[in-house]
mmCIF file with all atom_site columns, all heavy atoms in Angstrom:
data_model
loop_
_atom_site.group_PDB
_atom_site.id
_atom_site.type_symbol
_atom_site.label_atom_id
_atom_site.label_alt_id
_atom_site.label_comp_id
_atom_site.label_asym_id
_atom_site.label_entity_id
_atom_site.label_seq_id
_atom_site.pdbx_PDB_ins_code
_atom_site.Cartn_x
_atom_site.Cartn_y
_atom_site.Cartn_z
_atom_site.occupancy
_atom_site.B_iso_or_equiv
_atom_site.pdbx_formal_charge
_atom_site.auth_seq_id
_atom_site.auth_comp_id
_atom_site.auth_asym_id
_atom_site.auth_atom_id
_atom_site.pdbx_PDB_model_num
ATOM 1  N N   . PRO A 1 179 ? 75.284 115.029 94.774 1.00 0.00 ? 688 PRO A N   1
ATOM 2  C CA  . PRO A 1 179 ? 73.888 114.834 95.192 1.00 0.00 ? 688 PRO A CA  1
ATOM 3  C C   . PRO A 1 179 ? 72.877 115.580 94.323 1.00 0.00 ? 688 PRO A C   1
ATOM 4  O O   . PRO A 1 179 ? 71.733 115.141 94.167 1.00 0.00 ? 688 PRO A O   1
ATOM 5  C CB  . PRO A 1 179 ? 73.855 115.362 96.625 1.00 0.00 ? 688 PRO A CB  1
ATOM 6  C CG  . PRO A 1 179 ? 75.266 115.326 97.081 1.00 0.00 ? 688 PRO A CG  1
ATOM 7  C CD  . PRO A 1 179 ? 76.109 115.536 95.871 1.00 0.00 ? 688 PRO A CD  1
ATOM 8  N N   . VAL A 1 180 ? 73.306 116.696 93.745 1.00 0.00 ? 689 VAL A N   1
ATOM 9  C CA  . VAL A 1 180 ? 72.374 117.457 92.891 1.00 0.00 ? 689 VAL A CA  1
ATOM 10 C C   . VAL A 1 180 ? 71.965 116.587 91.699 1.00 0.00 ? 689 VAL A C   1
ATOM 11 O O   . VAL A 1 180 ? 70.804 116.584 91.273 1.00 0.00 ? 689 VAL A O   1
ATOM 12 C CB  . VAL A 1 180 ? 73.017 118.786 92.414 1.00 0.00 ? 689 VAL A CB  1
ATOM 13 C CG1 . VAL A 1 180 ? 72.043 119.584 91.559 1.00 0.00 ? 689 VAL A CG1 1
ATOM 14 C CG2 . VAL A 1 180 ? 73.492 119.608 93.601 1.00 0.00 ? 689 VAL A CG2 1
ATOM 15 N N   . LEU A 1 181 ? 72.931 115.803 91.182 1.00 0.00 ? 690 LEU A N   1
ATOM 16 C CA  . LEU A 1 181 ? 72.627 114.935 90.036 1.00 0.00 ? 690 LEU A CA  1
ATOM 17 C C   . LEU A 1 181 ? 71.862 113.683 90.465 1.00 0.00 ? 690 LEU A C   1
ATOM 18 O O   . LEU A 1 181 ? 70.960 113.227 89.753 1.00 0.00 ? 690 LEU A O   1
ATOM 19 C CB  . LEU A 1 181 ? 73.922 114.525 89.327 1.00 0.00 ? 690 LEU A CB  1
ATOM 20 C CG  . LEU A 1 181 ? 74.711 115.629 88.625 1.00 0.00 ? 690 LEU A CG  1
ATOM 21 C CD1 . LEU A 1 181 ? 75.686 115.028 87.630 1.00 0.00 ? 690 LEU A CD1 1
ATOM 22 C CD2 . LEU A 1 181 ? 73.823 116.605 87.899 1.00 0.00 ? 690 LEU A CD2 1
ATOM 23 N N   . THR A 1 182 ? 72.216 113.121 91.629 1.00 0.00 ? 691 THR A N   1
ATOM 24 C CA  . THR A 1 182 ? 71.484 111.905 92.065 1.00 0.00 ? 691 THR A CA  1
ATOM 25 C C   . THR A 1 182 ? 70.037 112.261 92.399 1.00 0.00 ? 691 THR A C   1
ATOM 26 O O   . THR A 1 182 ? 69.120 111.498 92.100 1.00 0.00 ? 691 THR A O   1
ATOM 27 C CB  . THR A 1 182 ? 72.175 111.217 93.267 1.00 0.00 ? 691 THR A CB  1
ATOM 28 O OG1 . THR A 1 182 ? 72.387 112.187 94.287 1.00 0.00 ? 691 THR A OG1 1
ATOM 29 C CG2 . THR A 1 182 ? 73.498 110.587 92.880 1.00 0.00 ? 691 THR A CG2 1
ATOM 30 N N   . GLU A 1 183 ? 69.840 113.437 92.980 1.00 0.00 ? 692 GLU A N   1
ATOM 31 C CA  . GLU A 1 183 ? 68.461 113.850 93.282 1.00 0.00 ? 692 GLU A CA  1
ATOM 32 C C   . GLU A 1 183 ? 67.655 114.036 91.988 1.00 0.00 ? 692 GLU A C   1
ATOM 33 O O   . GLU A 1 183 ? 66.442 113.854 91.963 1.00 0.00 ? 692 GLU A O   1
ATOM 34 C CB  . GLU A 1 183 ? 68.457 115.152 94.100 1.00 0.00 ? 692 GLU A CB  1
ATOM 35 C CG  . GLU A 1 183 ? 68.817 114.917 95.565 1.00 0.00 ? 692 GLU A CG  1
ATOM 36 C CD  . GLU A 1 183 ? 69.405 116.163 96.240 1.00 0.00 ? 692 GLU A CD  1
ATOM 37 O OE1 . GLU A 1 183 ? 69.142 117.283 95.781 1.00 0.00 ? 692 GLU A OE1 1
ATOM 38 O OE2 . GLU A 1 183 ? 70.151 115.981 97.238 1.00 0.00 ? 692 GLU A OE2 1
ATOM 39 N N   . ALA A 1 184 ? 68.374 114.358 90.889 1.00 0.00 ? 693 ALA A N   1
ATOM 40 C CA  . ALA A 1 184 ? 67.673 114.527 89.602 1.00 0.00 ? 693 ALA A CA  1
ATOM 41 C C   . ALA A 1 184 ? 67.420 113.190 88.923 1.00 0.00 ? 693 ALA A C   1
ATOM 42 O O   . ALA A 1 184 ? 66.712 113.136 87.904 1.00 0.00 ? 693 ALA A O   1
ATOM 43 C CB  . ALA A 1 184 ? 68.509 115.414 88.685 1.00 0.00 ? 693 ALA A CB  1
ATOM 44 N N   . GLY A 1 185 ? 68.017 112.079 89.454 1.00 0.00 ? 694 GLY A N   1
ATOM 45 C CA  . GLY A 1 185 ? 67.720 110.759 88.885 1.00 0.00 ? 694 GLY A CA  1
ATOM 46 C C   . GLY A 1 185 ? 68.907 109.960 88.388 1.00 0.00 ? 694 GLY A C   1
ATOM 47 O O   . GLY A 1 185 ? 68.748 108.810 87.982 1.00 0.00 ? 694 GLY A O   1
ATOM 48 N N   . PHE A 1 186 ? 70.110 110.539 88.401 1.00 0.00 ? 695 PHE A N   1
ATOM 49 C CA  . PHE A 1 186 ? 71.284 109.761 87.963 1.00 0.00 ? 695 PHE A CA  1
ATOM 50 C C   . PHE A 1 186 ? 71.731 108.808 89.070 1.00 0.00 ? 695 PHE A C   1
ATOM 51 O O   . PHE A 1 186 ? 71.577 109.106 90.256 1.00 0.00 ? 695 PHE A O   1
ATOM 52 C CB  . PHE A 1 186 ? 72.460 110.701 87.623 1.00 0.00 ? 695 PHE A CB  1
ATOM 53 C CG  . PHE A 1 186 ? 72.278 111.456 86.341 1.00 0.00 ? 695 PHE A CG  1
ATOM 54 C CD1 . PHE A 1 186 ? 71.935 112.806 86.343 1.00 0.00 ? 695 PHE A CD1 1
ATOM 55 C CD2 . PHE A 1 186 ? 72.440 110.823 85.112 1.00 0.00 ? 695 PHE A CD2 1
ATOM 56 C CE1 . PHE A 1 186 ? 71.760 113.512 85.168 1.00 0.00 ? 695 PHE A CE1 1
ATOM 57 C CE2 . PHE A 1 186 ? 72.268 111.525 83.921 1.00 0.00 ? 695 PHE A CE2 1
ATOM 58 C CZ  . PHE A 1 186 ? 71.918 112.859 83.946 1.00 0.00 ? 695 PHE A CZ  1
#
Side-chain angles (χ1 to χ4, degrees):
V689 181
L690 293 198
T691 52
E692 283 155 24
F695 287 104

